[in-house]
């Protein structure tokens, strides 16, 4: 989802387009339970982009805010329900064969990896961005000790990283930052994330007015977004 900022697009037209896009997006997610039940960790790319779409808009309505809080809560709830019933978290490496075998046989394949998660880490950081203290408090204990919380990072310069995003999967370039536990207090958690905020990257596609071009590259090559994408909205 994207709204243009080209010359000739009035603020009124842009707001109208944004509102129509939000209505469509909310209907799709509300009416498709699969959008709220990630089964592999890389579903975070689609989930995160939904939240970024809203975080970029400074004119959210009460209905929009209620939706993103409910969406976040539903994802947490469904992950915990799945773990409670089947003892599995979303598969980390995107191993579709192992995930499918687990779903169909109800038995854990040796190749199924869910001891770590980038998705769950980001979901908790999104509670900080969205100011969802109640959601953080409600679900924090449910995930304690169940998975190693990780965040994807990269040391490449902006231009080199941007070129690589359009060329290949970056699993050999990314490294992970691990978190051993989540603070009990929501404000302590936010302060901890805030201390980790990175220098914002400047992509040429963004500067040229085409930030949406990076999204298909992330999806096609299965490259996680880096934390400056959402941490910049944390206040």
């Amino acid at each position: 989802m994207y709204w243009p900022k080209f010359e000739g697009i009035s603020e009124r037209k842009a707001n109208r387009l944004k509102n129509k896009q939000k209505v469509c997006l909310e209907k799709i997610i509300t009416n498709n339970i699969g959008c709220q039940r990630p089964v592999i960790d890389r579903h975070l790319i689609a989930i995160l982009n939904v939240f970024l779409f809203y975080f970029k808009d400074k004119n959210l309505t009460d209905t929009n805010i209620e939706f993103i809080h409910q969406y976040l809560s539903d994802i947490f709830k469904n992950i915990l329900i799945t773990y409670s019933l089947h003892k599995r978290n979303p598969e980390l490496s995107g191993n579709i064969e192992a995930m499918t075998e687990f779903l169909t046989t109800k038995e854990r394949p040796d190749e199924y990896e869910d001891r770590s998660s980038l998705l769950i880490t980001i979901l908790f950081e999104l509670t900080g961005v969205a100011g969802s203290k109640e959601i953080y408090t409600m679900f924090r204990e449910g995930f304690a000790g169940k998975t190693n919380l990780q965040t994807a990072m990269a040391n490449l310069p902006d231009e080199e990283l941007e070129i690589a995003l359009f060329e290949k999967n970056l699993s050999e370039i990314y490294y992970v930052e691990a978190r051993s536990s989540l603070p009990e207090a929501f404000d302590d958690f936010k302060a901890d994330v805030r201390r980790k905020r990175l220098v914002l990257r400047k992509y040429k596609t963004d500067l040229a007015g085409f930030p949406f071009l990076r999204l298909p590259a992330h999806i096609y090559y299965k490259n996680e977004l880096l934390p400056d994408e959402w941490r910049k909205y944390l206040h």
Side-chain angles (χ1 to χ4, degrees):
M1 308 293 280
Y2 170 75
W3 58 85
K5 297 181 180 179
F6 302 125
E7 185 177 349
I9 300 293
S10 68
E11 183 177 353
R12 182 179 178 182
K13 288 183 178 180
N15 287 334
R16 187 184 306 158
L17 176 59
K18 284 188 285 185
N19 290 334
K20 287 183 178 179
Q21 290 178 332
K22 284 184 285 189
V23 169
C24 289
L25 187 59
E26 290 168 18
K27 284 184 178 179
I28 291 171
I29 292 174
T30 302
N31 293 318
N32 290 274
I33 191 65
C35 296
Q36 306 159 30
R37 293 181 176 176
V39 293
I40 60 174
D41 219 60
R42 285 198 181 115
H43 283 155
L44 70 88
I45 297 174
I47 290 170
L48 180 55
N49 272 283
V50 170
F51 286 95
L52 291 177
F53 176 74
Y54 282 88
F55 294 157
K56 291 173 184 176
D57 188 359
K58 298 180 181 179
N59 299 305
L60 296 180
T61 65
D62 290 342
T63 301
N64 297 151
I65 295 172
E66 181 181 352
F67 167 75
I68 60 175
H69 285 196
Q70 186 62 53
Y71 182 38
L72 187 54
S73 178
D74 287 342
I75 296 171
F76 272 127
K77 179 174 61 179
N78 285 320
I79 293 175
L80 283 179
I81 289 173
T82 299
Y83 187 86
S84 175
L85 294 176
H86 307 294
K87 295 297 182 285
R88 61 175 169 81
N89 281 317
E91 207 281 330
L92 174 66
S93 64
N95 190 328
I96 302 299
E97 291 77 14
M99 182 268 294
T100 303
E101 182 179 344
F102 202 165
L103 289 175
T104 54
T105 67
K106 311 300 181 186
E107 296 182 2
R108 176 183 290 269
D110 292 338
E111 298 80 11
Y112 192 93
E113 176 57 65
D114 64 348
R115 290 171 295 180
S116 299
S117 177
L118 285 81
L119 168 62
I120 294 171
T121 313
I122 291 175
L123 291 177
F124 276 109
E125 292 202 9
L126 292 179
T127 68
V129 178
S132 305
K133 179 179 180 179
E134 182 178 350
I135 295 176
Y136 178 85
T137 304
M138 182 184 304
F139 293 106
R140 171 190 164 273
E141 188 173 346
F143 286 93
K146 289 187 173 67
T147 186
N148 179 33
L149 303 176
Q150 298 183 342
T151 307
M153 313 286 281
N155 283 329
L156 290 180
D158 293 356
E159 184 173 353
E160 188 175 345
L161 175 64
E162 185 171 14
I163 292 172
L165 282 174
F166 287 90
E167 291 182 338
K168 59 186 177 180
N169 177 267
L170 303 183
S171 57
E172 295 184 359
I173 294 175
Y174 283 166
Y175 67 94
V176 296
E177 174 186 88
R179 172 188 288 277
S180 58
S181 62
L182 297 167
E184 182 176 352
F186 180 62
D187 288 342
D188 290 342
F189 172 69
K190 287 179 62 177
D192 185 40
V193 175
R194 202 175 285 116
R195 283 192 292 270
K196 297 179 180 181
R197 183 176 293 172
L198 309 177
V199 176
L200 299 182
R201 291 185 177 272
K202 296 180 180 179
Y203 298 102
K204 288 186 176 181
T205 46
D206 294 22
L207 297 175
F210 301 100
F212 57 89
L213 291 179
R214 285 191 294 112
L215 177 55
H218 278 284
I219 294 173
Y220 184 79
Y221 289 111
K222 300 179 177 64
N223 289 320
E224 290 82 6
L225 283 80
L226 298 177
D228 60 301
E229 299 273 8
W230 66 88
R231 287 180 183 172
K232 64 185 177 184
Y233 297 108
L234 179 66
H235 299 295

